[in-house]
Structures are given as C-alpha cells and as structure tokens.
Amino acid sequence: MPLPLARHALATGLVLGLSISATPLISQDFSLPSTFGEISVSAGFMPDPNWVHVLAGGEALREFPDANTGNRCAGHFAEAPDFRIFFEPGSGLPLSFYVESRDDTVLLVNTPDAQWHCNDDSSGLNPSLTFDSPQPGQYDIWVGTYQASNGTYPAAILGITELEPFADTFARAFFGEDDRIVMDATQSPWNMIGFVDLSDSSCTGALIGPQTVLTAAHCLADQGAITGTPVEFLAGYDRGDAVARSAITGYHVPASWMMGEQEGYDFAFLYLADPIGEQIGWMDVGPLTPEDVAAELAGTGPDIMQAGYSYDQQGVLTGNLDCPFIELGGQNTLIHQCDTLQGDSGSPLFIETGGRYRIIGVESRTDAMPRAQFDRNVAMHTDYVLAELQALITQTGSGGGTRPPETK
C-alpha cells in the first residue's frame, strides 16, 4: 500500500539544504504525481527485470550525497518523480534500479525512510542503485542527465529488478554469450585501429589514409554542437603503449549530422599531424555490393571482423573475428551481431578481400530491446561514408589520404 505523504516536509527540507548556489530553488518533490506512472509490486515480481520507458533530465541542476556511501553526484532533474514504485519485500533478495540510455544519465531514488540515494556511472555511463535489504513502501525515482537538457530530454529505460543489475542487459548485448577476444594490437590489421582520445571521453577509430581516421560523429558532436574535442589518435594502443600515435589537428563531421543527426550520417573524419599510416598501413572504405550481401546471408561471404576499445576492458583492444550479418537496413544502416559495448563507437566492421581490408561499417549504437531476446546493433554502412569522402575530394581536388576542408 502507498505510504502516507507525511515524509514530504522532511525530504523537501533535505533537498533545499543541498541546493547549489545560482541554481533555482526547485526541489525534487515526491508529493507530485510521477510523470511516467507507478506500480505496486511484491518480492518475486515478474517480469524481472521490469522495464519502464522514460525521458531523462529536467531543468533543475541538483547535487545529492548518497545516504549510504556519502558519494556526491550531480545532475539535471525534473521536479516531479519520473516513476514511483510501492514495494513489499519478502524474498530476501536485493532490489535494484538501473538505467540504460545513449546519454550520460544520473539516477536518484528517495526511499521509504526519506533518504536520498544517487549514482552517476555504474556500467559505463549508465547508473544503478542496489538496496540489499529493501524497505517496504514508496520509492520515488528520478532519471536525470549529467549535461543540461536545454529543452531536449533523451530517451532512457529504467530497469527494476531483484537480479544483478545489467545482467539481462549484457546477455542481450552479447546475443547470449560474449565472443570478444583480446587482439594483438601490434599486428595487422589490428594496428590500423586505434584509441581516439577526446580529452574527457574516448572512442575508437581506424586509419583510412596516411593521416585520416574514420570514427563516429556522435563521439564529436551532439545536437548540432561539438561536444568532444579530439586530441590524439593512438594506433595499436595496448595498456599505455601504441604502435604509432599522432596529434589530431582537425576533423570533419557531415552537415547532415550537425543539422539534425540524420540517420546514416553517424561518422566523422579525423586529420592527423603525422602520416602514421605510411608506417603501419590503412584500411580501404567500400560498401557491401548486392553480391556481397547475398553471400553474407547465404553464409558463404568473408568473415566480418570488428575491434574496439570497450569500456569494460580498459586499455586493450577486443573484438570479433566472425560477426553474424543480419541485414542492410534503411538509411545507410548495417544491422549486425558483433559483441560491442560503449567505447566501441567508431570502430570498424571490415572484411578481407584480395589481401586488403575493407571497412563496410562504422559502429554507431545499440538499440535496447528489453522485450526482445537480443538488442539491435547498428553500424553506419559505408555507402554514405564513401560518398562523403568523394565529395570532399572533389571539393579539394586531392587524392585519398589527404585532408578535406575542416569543419571546426
């Protein structure tokens, strides 16, 4: 049964006491109706995990210390709870909440004893909170964003579970089993793939010319603004060492991505100070032909390979030697089942033909499909990539491997 709301005065006072200077005095108020609904469940609930689709973020920048750990986390939250759960324990199992989103989210929970609990990053940029001995009563939940919303609220999925947080997520993301292996980053073709240092974050990229690297556009730009400044490319990076490295002096993000993040254009080019590709080589870029697609679907095509710097295996290159091909989707997308995680964005999907390595896709994102057996991995097919390269070469009159005009 819902708890009486007598605790609200206490909790509101706690929030106001934590307000950041220059931040509007808007508290997280659990006397308000929850925006995306509420449920009443008892221990042993099914389905587990129980998924709720929400829009993350809000207008108020708040900072909270976790009641258990003392760790502080800040985020932009709505005033009303995003979701509310009335819980009746009894199984002896912990109760966990976690969030999946393409954006950097922050999780805030007010428990039945009016204590605040928060988490920023637990699995990559996805947060989670676990209560080992859950109390009976009302849990109010906010899914915030680390960055300001600016009137745009990213989609997120809130998971409620008595299982291990993200356990179901990893099973779906890895199509049942993690097939990644650690690659020898000193050997071809893996040394052509590298770590993209974006100062505050990182992605993966691959050499496609002496001084040109192909990566994902969302690593650099979000909602029409450059958000990640590329600093350095480390080819064949492995636990602090690199086969070759160079400062990044420029970049190009397609206008179709900058002006609306149009599907099919989540790719970008980075330009290096040094021609390290002359030392270690580079990959070709070319889309799958209809004959290639037919061969892949028939199981007679060349193996599709992929490698990148996944967040859960810090400092090493992990990848797949034979990814299942699913289909060429609409708007320049390639649907695949390479095992990838955050950090693999921008990594190449490639095949070997005639002794050369041809990039056929650029890893873009994973669409969470909590009601399906597996998630949906989406890469950018290189049809648009090749067209963008050819357009830039036409503009500059230069050959492959030189730098087109920069779009800083």
Side-chain angles (χ1 to χ4, degrees):
M1 293 294 292
L3 290 182
L5 297 179
R7 62 176 185 164
H8 292 158
L10 170 63
T12 302
L14 286 172
V15 176
L16 292 177
L18 292 169
S19 61
I20 301 173
S21 59
T23 300
L25 294 179
I26 303 176
S27 66
Q28 277 51 65
D29 185 353
F30 45 70
S31 68
L32 296 174
S34 49
T35 303
F36 298 97
E38 62 181 50
I39 57 173
S40 297
V41 295
S42 300
F45 59 85
M46 294 297 291
D48 185 353
N50 195 310
W51 294 96
V52 180
H53 291 264
V54 303
L55 296 179
E59 301 308 315
L61 172 60
R62 311 295 301 178
E63 181 176 311
F64 294 84
D66 187 274
N68 289 344
T69 66
N71 295 333
R72 304 181 74 87
C73 52
H76 295 79
F77 300 97
E79 182 179 4
D82 291 306
F83 197 72
R84 176 174 293 136
I85 175 175
F86 301 101
F87 183 67
E88 183 61 40
S91 65
L93 295 174
L95 176 66
S96 297
F97 305 100
Y98 59 103
V99 178
E100 292 185 26
S101 177
R102 292 181 63 191
D103 289 74
D104 189 355
T105 52
V106 184
L107 179 61
L108 176 66
V109 176
N110 190 270
T111 48
D113 59 358
Q115 296 296 303
W116 294 96
H117 303 265
C118 65
N119 179 258
D120 187 354
D121 300 329
S122 179
S123 177
L125 298 179
N126 290 322
S128 69
L129 286 167
T130 295
F131 302 95
D132 292 326
S133 300
Q135 306 164 40
Q138 178 178 329
Y139 293 76
D140 291 286
I141 305 164
W142 287 259
V143 179
T145 53
Y146 184 74
Q147 302 291 341
S149 298
N150 296 322
T152 302
Y153 306 101
I157 301 176
L158 170 67
I160 304 166
T161 183
E162 291 184 298
L163 306 173
E164 185 74 19
F166 302 107
D168 181 67
T169 302
F170 280 105
R172 294 195 326 274
F174 291 144
F175 309 100
E177 184 176 346
D178 184 0
D179 294 320
R180 295 174 302 164
I181 62 173
V182 176
M183 304 300 183
D184 184 350
T186 66
Q187 300 299 311
S188 177
W190 316 111
N191 58 358
M192 304 174 194
I193 301 169
F195 182 88
V196 178
D197 182 0
L198 294 159
S199 183
D200 293 332
S201 61
S202 65
C203 278
T204 301
L207 283 161
I208 59 170
Q211 293 175 260
T212 306
V213 170
L214 177 61
T215 189
H218 75 257
C219 296
L220 282 71
D222 180 53
Q223 299 178 24
I226 297 299
T227 56
T229 303
V231 176
E232 187 178 26
F233 179 71
L234 299 94
Y237 179 76
D238 186 276
R239 288 166 283 213
D241 296 324
V243 172
R245 60 199 301 166
S246 172
I248 297 170
T249 59
Y251 52 83
H252 171 83
V253 179
S256 294
W257 183 263
M258 296 297 295
M259 294 189 298
E261 300 188 0
Q262 182 177 330
E263 180 71 285
Y265 286 93
D266 187 9
F267 59 87
F269 308 121
L270 308 176
Y271 308 125
L272 307 181
D274 303 311
I276 62 175
E278 294 178 354
Q279 171 189 344
I280 58 179
W282 61 86
M283 296 184 179
D284 301 324
V285 177
L288 290 171
T289 66
E291 293 75 20
D292 291 333
V293 172
E296 292 294 342
L297 291 173
T300 59
D303 294 338
I304 297 177
M305 295 173 277
Q306 177 276 337
Y309 291 92
S310 302
Y311 80 88
D312 68 330
Q313 305 241 15
Q314 293 292 314
V316 298
L317 184 68
T318 61
N320 303 262
L321 295 177
D322 185 10
C323 301
F325 170 80
I326 304 301
E327 64 177 346
L328 288 185
Q331 295 180 282
N332 196 50
T333 57
L334 189 160
I335 314 304
H336 63 90
Q337 288 189 347
C338 297
D339 294 328
T340 57
L341 291 175
Q342 184 181 333
D344 286 300
S345 292
S347 63
L349 279 68
F350 61 97
I351 58 177
E352 182 181 5
T353 53
R356 293 287 299 176
Y357 299 97
R358 172 166 43 116
I359 298 177
I360 60 171
V362 182
E363 182 62 1
S364 173
R365 67 180 190 272
T366 298
D367 292 337
M369 309 287 285
R371 303 299 184 189
Q373 183 180 9
F374 299 127
D375 287 342
R376 185 172 181 266
N377 277 2
V378 182
M380 298 296 97
H381 189 216
T382 46
D383 193 7
Y384 288 8
V385 177
L386 189 60
E388 190 85 5
L389 275 173
Q390 291 173 337
L392 290 169
I393 291 170
T394 299
Q395 291 174 22
T396 61
S398 62
T402 59
R403 65 186 63 205
E406 298 170 8
T407 57
K408 286 187 177 179

